[in-house]
Amino acid sequence: MSTSSVLHVGLEVDGAGAHPAAWRAAARSSSDALGPARLRDVVAAAENAGVTFVTFDDSLVPPAAGPAGRLDAVTRAAYVAPLTSRIGLVPLVHPAVTEPFHVASQLAALDHASLGRGGWFVGAGDVPGARRALDRPVAAGADLLDETADVVTVVRDLWDSWEDDAVVRDSATGRYVDRDRLHYVDFASGGEGLPAGPSSRGTADGVRAPFTVKGPSIVPRSPQGQLVVVGRAGTVPGGLLDVALVATTDAAARAREDGAPLVVVDLAVTLDAAGRLGADRRAELDGLAGVPVPATWTGSAVDLVDVLLGLRGVVDGVRLLPSELDVDLPVLVRDVLPALRVARAVPTPRPGATLRDTLGLPRPTNRHVAAAATV
Amino acid sequence: MSARQMRLGAYHTVSGHHAAAWRVSTQVNDTESLAQHQAAARAAQDGLLHFLLATDVLGEQGDPVSPGFQPRLEPAVLLAALAASTEHIGLVGSFSTTFSGPFQLARQLSSLDHVSGGRAGWNVVTSFRAGAGDGFGSSDLPDHVERYAKAHDVVEAALALWDAWEPDAVVRDRRTATYVDPDRVHRTEHTSRFHEVRGVLPASRSPQGRPVLFQGGGSDAGLALAARHADVVLTSQDHLPDARRLYRDVKERVAHEGRDPDGVLVLPGVITVIGSSRSQAQDVHDRLLEQVDDDQARRRLSGILGWDTSALPYDAPVEPAPATTEGNRARARLLHARAVRDGLSIGQLARVTAATRGHLLLVGTAQDVADELLAWHADEAADGFLVGPAVMPSGLRRFVRDVVPLLQRAGVFRTSREGRTLREQLALPPLGTPRP
């Protein structure tokens, strides 16, 4: 059991909030819905409040129920990287629709740009619209689980394809990189048939397309060595995860048995705010949404603090999904996180600390160095 | 202000454009450090330069296991981080059409345009280096013609995706629960043998509508792509008469496509070594040349020329007939012409190539550099330049401090900013309304 009395608080910062009708009640004008100001303000507020990490949800097509849509999650995370110094930045990238080599190099660059605060929220489930937009088969079901495991494996391989000290800048011999400290990954995925591309147009929906990656990466090993890999329990093998996300605390024990070092539970919240009860706000949002919306926790800041304090020892953290960022985030920042700090229930991320440092996860030794050491 | 205005971009590196810069320089040149990139971007912005260009290693130096490889930060992430660190400068990235599909490329570039407030540019490149496919499971790279056919296709699909969102598509009517007016968003239906793209980008129209399009291939196929789609053509030219010819050629091709020739800018790359005196600049240049690794330089030259020069001695003359190469066609021709013109041996040509990669090399005082740039500009060989200091960061500081004021005094370079977006700052014609 890796449970401790410390509770990490994560925050989903996508769009106007996690509720599909959030945009309709949002106070902001439409012109900056996708602009950088909102993103900057939200992440800065979360960092100031001591949030351990933020996640950036993503999708390829506009969400069915709603608003405008979203910018590429990695771009958003990279944008806020130089504006922050303590908070972890965890964009969602879906393994079924992105080239593993791109995923590896972009996320490694994010880790460099943020000085070690990068993470990867491994996307799961169907990707609506992907087949039509990307002109490639998109895996589903068991194929998707297999493909996800392969993609996470090869991305982790690529992150280790440069040893930490591969950049030698040896002026005397003119060697910038010591090629003996670079390693091919030579990965061939599972799956049958043709690789993704125009030739795979005849492949049925839901069937994975195989891929190969030779490597090495084009980006040197990043500050954390391996970024913090966050994924939903059951969609990525636990041994490949650093943080397993669970929907309820009942699933925590299972996720731990599956090998995930840390377990974080998702909690969607609609708080009492601006003189209105959370339950009333929630009912109004549901009425506006026009689509079924999963239940959220509703109540006061004081009650939420009690709930969160009760999660200590059960899970390692909670990822909060506020219904409306404009309304719920100020309450979290003003009333909830300070109370948790007073109770010494949450860690205080330090400037310069990596996300691994803050989460208490060790920096992994490069597998090629570790292998050499055991010979 | 009536004189034709010069546009300037920074050919962005952290350690300098000269292959040996990192061996000679005592300055910090840590390519993974965002702080170094931020300092370079801010220096360029302070000098009122219009944009910086961040290139990827894909298709440039290809294989990390090859000698001479210098890592970089992936440009989409780097430019998004620089968007937060700068306020005015255009942020242009080289993104290859060989390995990425149009939807993901269009999406990341639109996202960059949103977070930068309309400062994004896309340098459309194709990948040709052996090794560039190693990450993507494609060991056989497409040939030259096929690469450019695909590039055309990716650009056209991306343009369709960007134009699909009309400027006023987001209506955000709370009462009727209408966020987007569906009549003002057009589903892209792009079908070709390379890509089928059917869908809508999940983000509304970006501040510029689309990123400014740059094109850098100087081959016939590259110029054809530029003439149809590019806003800015980046070229490698080191000889004024040739540069004038290419300039005219580009403008004629643009006119032939039914576009305004003045609305497409031709910017040659220029590598600068600026000293307080000519002899001091020459000393720096000599020291750089001495540090060029002859084996690496020869391999690079062989790659560009398309035939193996390794067996030839340093003093061997360059044969008069250029080879046809799969990759860098225009550059191979250019280097070959230079060797014949200047009577360079194969070893000398390799060193010069390492130093300049075919770009104009200017070694001298700030006045020397300014005079040469002004001459090329006045002579209609260039609308401006992509400036790559041989050694960074000092080279860029020097250019901004000493050369820019001379260009301003000559009345051809701006002394203040007009316009907000990159397109406006470059004084490019406004985009037509997408879909009447």
Side-chain angles (χ1 to χ4, degrees):
Chain A
M1 295 286 275
S2 66
T3 50
S4 65
S5 61
V6 168
L7 189 77
H8 293 283
V9 176
L11 181 75
E12 173 56 52
V13 294
D14 186 54
H19 196 287
W23 67 272
R24 295 191 63 187
R28 301 258 182 169
S29 72
S30 64
S31 59
D32 63 6
L34 292 176
R38 172 184 200 96
L39 182 61
R40 208 166 45 215
D41 293 350
V42 166
V43 177
E47 175 167 86
N48 287 338
V51 167
T52 298
F53 64 91
V54 286
T55 52
F56 303 83
D57 196 4
D58 205 359
S59 63
L60 275 183
V61 292
R70 27 176 78 119
L71 305 182
D72 170 66
V74 174
T75 303
R76 281 181 280 160
Y79 175 79
V80 295
L83 304 172
T84 49
S85 60
R86 304 191 293 281
I87 196 164
L89 305 171
V90 187
L92 185 142
V93 181
H94 201 296
V97 298
T98 327
E99 288 282 358
F101 195 79
H102 276 314
V103 178
S105 43
Q106 293 207 332
L107 290 172
L110 171 65
D111 204 40
H112 282 293
S114 63
L115 300 175
R117 292 179 290 120
W120 175 20
F121 185 2
V122 183
D126 289 346
V127 197
R131 170 122 205 186
R132 292 166 61 82
L134 305 179
D135 193 17
R136 55 166 291 171
V138 180
D143 261 15
L144 177 56
L145 294 178
D146 287 348
E147 182 169 49
T148 298
D150 277 350
V151 173
V152 178
T153 299
V154 76
V155 167
R156 284 190 174 282
D157 286 355
L158 285 163
W159 287 340
D160 270 3
S161 66
W162 289 58
E163 293 180 25
D164 286 318
D165 52 3
V167 175
V168 292
R169 293 192 191 91
D170 182 6
S171 308
T173 63
R175 286 181 316 160
Y176 196 93
V177 173
D178 180 354
R179 59 203 290 188
D180 293 338
R181 301 179 200 177
L182 265 49
H183 303 275
Y184 292 106
V185 299
D186 283 328
F187 186 88
S189 78
E192 292 170 355
L194 296 162
S199 55
S200 63
R201 277 177 196 157
T203 307
D205 256 337
V207 176
R208 65 176 303 191
F211 63 88
T212 59
V213 176
K214 187 178 174 195
S217 175
I218 49 171
V219 181
R221 197 159 191 256
S222 72
Q224 295 184 99
Q226 296 270 318
L227 280 78
V228 174
V229 178
V230 181
R232 292 189 187 285
T235 67
V236 187
L240 289 171
L241 288 175
D242 294 297
V243 177
L245 277 183
V246 292
T248 66
T249 50
D250 298 343
R254 172 99 190 268
R256 260 184 241 290
E257 280 163 27
D258 197 30
L262 298 176
V263 177
V264 168
V265 66
D266 270 353
L267 185 62
V269 296
T270 314
L271 296 167
D272 300 351
R276 303 177 61 213
L277 290 175
D280 293 344
R281 290 182 48 225
R282 165 71 210 210
E284 191 199 359
L285 286 167
D286 285 356
L288 290 170
V291 292
V293 182
T296 58
W297 186 91
T298 58
S300 70
V302 173
D303 290 343
L304 180 59
V305 170
D306 282 344
V307 169
L308 296 179
L309 290 174
L311 290 174
R312 286 183 299 173
V314 179
V315 288
D316 304 293
V318 60
R319 186 175 73 119
L320 297 172
L321 298 99
S323 287
E324 291 173 85
L325 282 166
D326 285 350
V327 182
D328 293 298
L329 183 57
V331 181
L332 292 172
V333 164
R334 196 180 54 236
D335 300 328
V336 176
L337 279 144
L340 294 173
R341 274 204 304 280
V342 169
R344 295 208 168 103
V346 289
T348 302
R350 299 291 173 200
T354 68
L355 179 54
R356 284 187 172 277
D357 291 340
T358 305
L359 289 171
L361 294 168
R363 184 179 191 276
T365 305
N366 187 302
R367 68 196 65 188
H368 301 289
V369 176
T374 57
V375 169
Chain B
M1 257 308 271
S2 59
R4 202 168 119 260
Q5 288 296 295
M6 189 185 280
R7 278 77 148 198
L8 293 177
Y11 202 166
H12 178 73
T13 61
V14 160
S15 57
H17 267 276
H18 199 288
W22 67 272
R23 296 181 72 177
V24 170
S25 173
T26 54
Q27 301 165 86
V28 181
N29 52 23
D30 177 354
T31 55
E32 301 99 86
S33 157
L34 181 65
Q36 300 300 313
H37 292 277
Q38 288 173 314
R42 287 181 184 134
Q45 177 173 272
D46 290 346
L48 294 177
L49 271 57
H50 293 82
F51 65 91
L52 68 81
L53 170 68
T55 57
D56 203 346
V57 286
L58 287 177
E60 281 247 328
Q61 292 167 307
D63 187 357
V65 179
S66 74
F69 178 87
Q70 286 188 35
R72 296 171 203 199
L73 288 183
E74 190 282 327
V77 166
L78 172 62
L79 293 173
L82 292 179
S85 320
T86 56
E87 299 78 39
H88 307 292
I89 193 160
L91 302 166
V92 185
S94 292
F95 297 100
S96 172
T97 54
T98 307
F99 301 114
S100 292
F103 194 91
Q104 303 279 38
L105 272 173
R107 180 155 194 246
Q108 282 209 318
L109 284 158
S110 162
S111 299
L112 177 64
D113 204 44
H114 274 289
V115 297
S116 65
R119 294 186 282 139
W122 175 21
N123 184 30
V124 181
V125 297
T126 64
S127 300
F128 56 83
R129 282 269 189 273
D134 289 349
F136 300 90
S138 55
S139 49
D140 296 323
L141 283 167
D143 71 20
H144 186 83
V145 172
E146 188 73 355
R147 261 187 7 243
Y148 273 93
K150 193 173 178 185
H152 265 282
D153 190 61
V154 172
V155 169
E156 279 161 15
L159 287 170
L161 287 164
W162 290 321
D163 279 350
W165 282 84
E166 292 188 19
D168 51 0
V170 176
V171 291
R172 206 180 154 91
D173 184 341
R174 290 193 185 80
R175 283 172 304 106
T176 61
T178 310
Y179 194 91
V180 171
D181 178 353
D183 293 340
R184 300 180 211 175
V185 182
H186 308 271
R187 170 170 292 272
T188 297
E189 298 279 348
H190 175 95
T191 304
S192 74
R193 68 194 166 94
F194 298 105
H195 303 99
E196 280 181 15
V197 183
R198 288 165 292 149
V200 177
L201 288 179
S204 54
R205 193 176 179 84
S206 71
Q208 289 188 110
R210 62 167 173 83
V212 176
L213 295 186
F214 290 64
Q215 205 282 328
S219 67
D220 197 57
L223 291 174
L225 175 62
R228 189 165 320 159
H229 293 300
D231 300 302
V232 181
V233 181
L234 304 173
T235 72
S236 291
Q237 296 294 323
D238 65 349
H239 189 50
L240 183 54
D242 293 343
R244 280 172 53 85
R245 250 194 305 280
L246 183 95
Y247 184 91
R248 271 201 308 276
D249 183 23
V250 169
K251 301 279 176 167
E252 279 164 17
R253 284 171 186 257
V254 168
H256 196 69
E257 289 284 342
R259 304 172 65 206
D260 175 11
D262 293 337
V264 177
L265 308 173
V266 178
L267 309 186
V270 51
I271 308 299
T272 57
V273 181
I274 303 165
S276 44
S277 67
R278 265 177 215 176
S279 64
Q280 196 239 336
Q282 196 59 50
D283 281 351
V284 171
H285 183 244
D286 290 346
R287 251 188 304 138
L288 285 166
L289 265 195
E290 278 166 25
Q291 289 295 323
V292 171
D293 182 310
D294 277 321
D295 289 341
Q296 280 180 28
R298 196 68 81 82
R299 266 190 296 271
R300 182 175 281 186
L301 178 68
S302 300
I304 294 174
L305 293 181
W307 51 281
D308 184 10
T309 68
S310 61
L312 296 173
Y314 186 89
D315 293 330
V318 175
E319 294 299 324
T324 303
T325 69
E326 231 11 279
N328 234 331
R329 288 196 175 175
R331 203 160 290 185
R333 266 202 310 275
L334 177 98
L335 288 172
H336 187 269
R338 183 197 308 211
V340 171
R341 192 171 66 237
D342 297 349
L344 300 178
S345 73
I346 198 84
Q348 287 170 317
L349 181 62
R351 283 192 179 182
V352 169
T353 305
T356 67
R357 278 170 283 152
H359 295 299
L360 175 65
L361 172 68
L362 297 179
V363 181
T365 64
Q367 189 69 56
D368 293 337
V369 170
D371 287 347
E372 192 74 7
L373 298 184
L374 289 166
W376 278 50
H377 182 249
D379 236 6
E380 302 214 322
D383 294 310
F385 301 90
L386 180 64
V387 179
V391 180
M392 285 288 287
S394 58
L396 181 60
R397 277 203 305 268
R398 196 131 205 176
F399 185 87
V400 163
R401 192 190 66 197
D402 299 338
V403 178
V404 165
L406 298 174
L407 302 175
Q408 289 168 329
R409 212 166 301 155
V412 299
F413 190 65
R414 61 183 183 172
T415 53
S416 64
R417 279 189 194 84
E418 276 174 41
R420 185 179 53 94
T421 67
L422 175 57
R423 173 166 288 277
E424 289 162 359
Q425 291 193 56
L426 288 169
L428 292 167
L431 295 179
T433 310
R435 294 184 197 239

